[in-house]
């Protein structure tokens, strides 16, 4: 197989490895890694078990319960290490199913449901508190297939009296997982459950993604996901619309992450209720981020029972980057939870709440009380922080009332020093990545040209081809902050066609920018090139004026003027430039291409800002990373096509042989440049997550004047008075640009309102 991807040129007894084959190896490695991740183990050893082989019949009304149980027994007791239990397409009626382990010999057990499973409507078949389909005490289970679990709850909901009777008989949960380890649930749908849709009890290392959970808004107790006494649980990229909590976090949980969930209608994301029973375990290490609540009763709710029978705690919980749209209670802490008339709410709750962080929460509230912090009088909340919370009254039109809770409660400086310390460490690392690896990548690109490299397509490809590094960064990153969204409306994700068009357009612009960049770097001294490239800030402001209604304040105008003059000086005073290796025409072409590259990146940044506002309508980590990766993929494909169509790829073997620093240095230079560009991109994206896109762009501009200084040392570029003056003007223009954005941010932070209601609890 390697012969299909590796090819060696033999010349004068030497085997040469060209850059084209390096790229092929790279893509082969990615494809092989992806394949091995999706299909673990040796495929030839996978045992396939089909429920139809045990008597299951689709599309009739017979009960297939026994067939499913028999198929499970066959799969679980198999001697094969990998087993696929398949339910094909079609409609299957089944009663209660208990899929229990341990499955001693099976290390990878995949239950692949492609069909539509319908639950029995005979409630006498179910035990109270049990599940319709239960998985228990299994290691390494994957539930997937794109199928649907239909609880047929409409006939059972009239018998649910748990909202009024504390001793009610519990209806069955659709999918219940008990005592599970290393479980993956992805690409399934659950509709109309009789009780909870999905419940986890005593599970470890559980991952759920791309789930679609729906039930009518008036269906009782149809929580989307309930988690209890579990650890290391991760749910992401799912849509939940139910009659109760989209996600509920019960007692005894630790290290729970809920991210990229679209919730609504329903009761929002809840912690609790806690403190109802004796000897409850603590809740700790909860992260809820990048979620959207639309038309829900609550947004983020923490509820504990009044007069709780025992002591317990919930601590270290972070709710971050949440968008609310027409939510009745966007943020609420209720420590007097008492849904039954028989309980007593006058006795304070004994659940201790502490270290709770609400960060970057924006949107609209359908009630005037956007935030309620009703803590226990007997055990008051401690260390509750609200940072960058902006909530508007949905019904007040253009006169929306913004609730800036930083000023109303805790200032941002009150965040614990350990949190600030860790954030500043991350910021410092990302700043170093940008300031060090951007100049390094530029210098390496010029080093390629200086020592015999001639392919502009290869240099064009360097900033793009290493994008798989971003996939790894996105997978392993534990970043918690995102840039602030300016759109408070919650909408459906763009269609596939829209996303494809967006990625194609931005990818084409990115490829054009990279190509112009490569030509400019070929014909200009690297110091001159980097100074001209600093004009990207001016172009960003220029295009933002038309695309994003950017106002031209005196500081922005001053920045535009200074950066324009800085670039003009370098083309007018060509006598001071080291142009011995290029003609005057080539110098002008290089200048024009570099200006074009600056304009291209300015257009791209302004266009991306417009896309986030009009198309994506969110600014989350997943959206930013997807856009960065896919536009790089499109741009790489365009450049590779250009490389082969132009015929430049044929010259690469001889170019490597004749490289002045040697063939090994040729490969090392190109690979190092590609890696440097991607480390720089990781720093750039990291700064966006930790701070803002403005700060990220500003740090990028700071790095550009570093290149001329390095160029003087490495390439002996001349540092004449005109170039020094150009550097001063560029830095001045950059500072003017940054100062204007500082004023904008300061103005935004000072916009806050007074409390609108006070009912005895702490409200805004």
């Amino acid at each position: 197989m390697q012969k299909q991807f590796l090819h060696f040129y033999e010349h004068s007894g030497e085997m040469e490895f060209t850059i084209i084959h390096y790229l092929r190896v790279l893509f082969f490695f990615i494809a092989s890694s992806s394949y091995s991740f999706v299909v673990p183990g040796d495929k030839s050893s996978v045992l396939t078990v089909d429920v139809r082989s045990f008597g299951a019949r689709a599309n009739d009304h017979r009960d297939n319960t026994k067939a499913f149980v028999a198929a499970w027994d066959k799969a679980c007791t198999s001697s094969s290490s990998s087993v696929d239990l398949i339910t094909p397409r079609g409609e299957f009626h089944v009663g209660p199913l208990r899929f229990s382990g341990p499955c001693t010999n099976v290390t990878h057990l995949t239950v692949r449901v492609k069909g539509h499973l319908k639950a029995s409507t005979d409630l006498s078949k179910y035990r109270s508190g049990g599940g319709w389909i239960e998985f228990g005490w299994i290691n390494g289970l994957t539930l997937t297939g794109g199928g649907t679990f239909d609880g047929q709850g409409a006939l059972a909901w009239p018998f649910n009296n748990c909202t009024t009777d504390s001793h009610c008989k519990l209806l069955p949960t659709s999918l219940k997982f008990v005592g599970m380890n290393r479980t993956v649930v992805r690409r399934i749908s659950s509709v109309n459950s009789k009780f909870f849709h999905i419940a986890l009890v005593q599970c470890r290392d559980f991952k759920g993604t791309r789930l679609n959970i729906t039930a009518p808004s008036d269906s009782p107790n149809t929580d989307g996901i309930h988690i209890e006494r579990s650890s290391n649980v991760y749910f992401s990229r799912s849509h939940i619309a139910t009659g109760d909590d989209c996600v509920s976090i019960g007692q005894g949980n630790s290290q729970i992450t809920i991210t990229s969930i679209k919730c609504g209608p329903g009761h929002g994301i809840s912690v609790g209720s806690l403190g109802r029973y004796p000897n409850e375990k603590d809740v700790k290490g909860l992260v809820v981020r990048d979620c959207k609540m639309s038309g829900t009763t609550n947004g983020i709710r923490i509820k504990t029972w009044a007069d709780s029978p025992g002591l317990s705690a919930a601590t270290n919980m972070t709710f971050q980057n949440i968008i609310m749209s027409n939510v009745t209670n966007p943020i609420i802490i209720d420590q007097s939870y008492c849904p039954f008339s028989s309980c007593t709410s006058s006795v304070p709750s004994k659940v201790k709440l502490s270290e709770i962080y609400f960060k970057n929460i924006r949107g609209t509230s359908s009630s005037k009380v956007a935030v309620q912090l009703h803590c226990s009088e007997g055990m008051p909340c401690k260390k509750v922080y609200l940072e960058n919370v902006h909530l508007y009254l949905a019904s007040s039109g253009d006169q929306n009332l913004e609730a800036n809770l930083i000023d109303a409660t805790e200032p941002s400086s009150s965040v614990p020093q350990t949190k600030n310390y860790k954030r500043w460490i991350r910021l410092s690392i990302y700043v170093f990545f940008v300031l060090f690896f951007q100049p390094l990548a530029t210098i390496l690109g010029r080093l390629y040209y200086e020592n015999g490299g001639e392919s502009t397509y290869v240099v064009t490809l360097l900033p793009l081809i290493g994008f798989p590094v971003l996939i790894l960064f996105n997978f392993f990153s534990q970043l918690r902050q995102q840039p602030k969204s300016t759109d408070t409306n919650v909408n459906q994700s763009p269609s596939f066609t829209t996303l494809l068009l967006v990625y194609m357009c931005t990818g084409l612009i990115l490829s054009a920018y990279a190509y112009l960049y490569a030509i400019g770097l070929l014909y200009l001294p690297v110091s001159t090139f980097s100074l001209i490239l600093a004009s990207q800030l001016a172009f960003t402001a220029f295009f933002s004026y038309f695309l994003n209604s950017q106002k031209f304040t005196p500081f922005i105008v001053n920045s535009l003027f200074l950066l324009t003059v800085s670039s003009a000086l370098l083309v007018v005073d060509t006598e001071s430039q080291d142009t011995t290796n290029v003609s005057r025409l080539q110098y002008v072409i290089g200048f024009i291409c570099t200006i074009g590259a600056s304009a291209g990146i300015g257009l791209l940044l302004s266009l991306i800002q417009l896309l986030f506002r009009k198309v994506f309508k969110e600014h989350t980590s997943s959206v930013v990373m997807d856009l960065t990766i896919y536009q790089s993929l499109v741009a790489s494909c365009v450049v590779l096509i250009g490389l082969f169509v132009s015929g430049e790829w044929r010259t690469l073997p001889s170019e490597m042989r004749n490289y002045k620093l040697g063939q090994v240095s040729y490969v090392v230079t190109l690979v190092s440049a590609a890696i440097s560009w991607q480390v720089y991109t990781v720093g750039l994206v990291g700064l966006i997550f930790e701070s803002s896109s403005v700060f990220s762009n500003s740090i990028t501009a700071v790095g550009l004047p570093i290149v001329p200084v390095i160029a003087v040392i490495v390439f002996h570029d001349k540092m004449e008075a005109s170039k020094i003056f150009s550097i001063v003007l560029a830095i001045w223009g950059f500072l003017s640009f940054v100062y204007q954005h500082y004023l904008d941010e300061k103005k935004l932070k000072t916009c806050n309102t007074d409390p609108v209601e006070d009912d005895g609890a702490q409200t805004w």
Side-chain angles (χ1 to χ4, degrees), residues 243-534:
D244 210 297
D245 295 332
C246 290
V247 181
S248 57
I249 312 297
Q251 57 107 352
N253 290 306
S254 63
Q255 307 308 316
I256 310 295
T257 299
I258 309 297
T259 179
S260 301
I261 301 294
K262 294 180 180 179
C263 171
H267 295 178
I269 296 178
S270 295
V271 178
S273 56
L274 304 177
R276 181 179 183 181
Y277 304 105
N279 304 317
E280 287 191 5
K281 302 297 183 182
D282 296 345
V283 174
K284 56 186 177 181
L286 169 66
V287 175
V288 178
R289 57 183 171 87
D290 306 335
C291 296
K292 298 188 291 187
M293 313 288 176
S294 180
T296 54
T297 305
N298 306 295
I300 301 298
R301 175 170 61 163
I302 302 173
K303 53 182 179 178
T304 71
W305 283 72
D307 194 17
S308 46
L311 297 175
S312 61
T315 184
N316 190 17
M317 299 184 291
T318 299
F319 306 93
Q320 183 171 342
N321 305 325
I322 312 295
I323 298 177
M324 309 282 185
S325 178
N326 201 32
V327 175
T328 306
N329 303 299
I331 299 175
I332 179 170
I333 294 178
D334 180 10
Q335 291 207 261
S336 298
Y337 183 70
C338 184
F340 308 122
S341 58
S342 59
C343 62
T344 303
S345 61
S346 59
V347 181
S349 174
K350 298 183 182 68
V351 180
K352 181 180 180 180
L353 302 181
S354 64
E355 295 186 54
I356 303 171
Y357 305 89
F358 299 98
K359 298 181 180 180
N360 301 343
I361 298 179
R362 296 184 170 224
T364 56
S365 170
S366 61
S367 65
K368 291 185 177 180
V369 183
V371 178
Q372 295 187 62
L373 307 181
H374 192 173
C375 296
S376 170
E377 295 181 359
M379 196 167 286
C381 305
K382 291 185 178 181
K383 297 182 179 180
V384 178
Y385 301 93
L386 299 102
E387 178 181 346
N388 194 27
V389 178
H390 300 273
L391 295 167
Y392 298 78
L393 186 60
S395 60
S396 57
D398 294 336
Q399 302 299 320
N400 280 348
L401 187 61
E402 181 177 1
N404 187 328
L405 300 178
I406 298 176
D407 297 330
T409 56
E410 299 281 352
S412 58
S413 60
S414 65
V415 177
Q417 292 300 315
T418 54
K419 292 279 183 178
N420 276 330
Y421 178 71
K422 292 179 181 179
R423 179 173 179 267
W424 279 109
I425 289 178
R426 292 194 300 268
L427 276 173
S428 300
I429 292 173
Y430 294 137
V431 168
F432 171 76
F433 282 176
V434 171
L435 294 183
F436 180 79
F437 285 97
Q438 181 198 28
L440 177 61
T442 304
I443 293 297
L444 288 172
R446 185 61 192 179
L447 185 67
Y448 164 80
Y449 282 140
E450 289 284 337
N451 290 278
E454 298 178 351
S455 175
T456 53
Y457 281 103
V458 168
V459 177
T460 302
L461 204 57
L462 293 179
L464 309 172
I465 198 63
F467 68 87
V469 174
L470 297 179
I471 300 175
L472 296 176
F473 171 72
N474 191 30
F475 184 77
F476 290 109
S477 175
Q478 297 299 318
L479 295 172
R480 289 294 181 262
Q481 284 198 343
Q482 297 264 353
K484 308 162 186 67
S485 172
T486 58
D487 195 315
T488 58
N489 295 322
V490 176
N491 296 283
Q492 295 295 323
S493 295
S495 65
F496 174 79
T497 304
T498 302
L499 288 176
L500 180 63
L501 184 62
V502 166
Y503 297 147
M504 292 291 290
C505 291
T506 56
L508 289 173
I509 295 175
L510 182 60
S511 63
Y513 153 75
Y515 185 69
L516 293 173
Y517 173 97
I519 296 177
L521 188 60
L522 173 64
Y523 290 138
L524 295 181
V526 68
S527 56
T528 304
F529 168 81
S530 62
L531 288 172
I532 297 174
L533 205 62

Side-chain angles (χ1 to χ4, degrees), residues 631-646:
Q631 73 180 13
S632 296
L633 173 62
V634 171
S636 297
C637 293
V638 171
V639 177
L640 283 172
I641 291 172
L643 177 66
F644 282 97
V645 171
S646 68

Side-chain angles (χ1 to χ4, degrees), residues 178-189:
V178 182
M180 304 287 288
N181 293 324
R182 296 183 293 106
T183 307
V184 175
V185 178
R186 63 171 179 261
R187 292 183 59 248
I188 65 166
S189 297

Side-chain angles (χ1 to χ4, degrees), residues 555-556 698 733-746:
F555 290 106
I556 293 295
S698 301
F734 155 73
L735 292 175
S736 181
F737 181 89
V738 172
Y739 184 68
Q740 179 58 55
H741 282 282
Y742 164 75
L743 294 178
D744 293 342
E745 289 292 322
K746 184 178 180 181

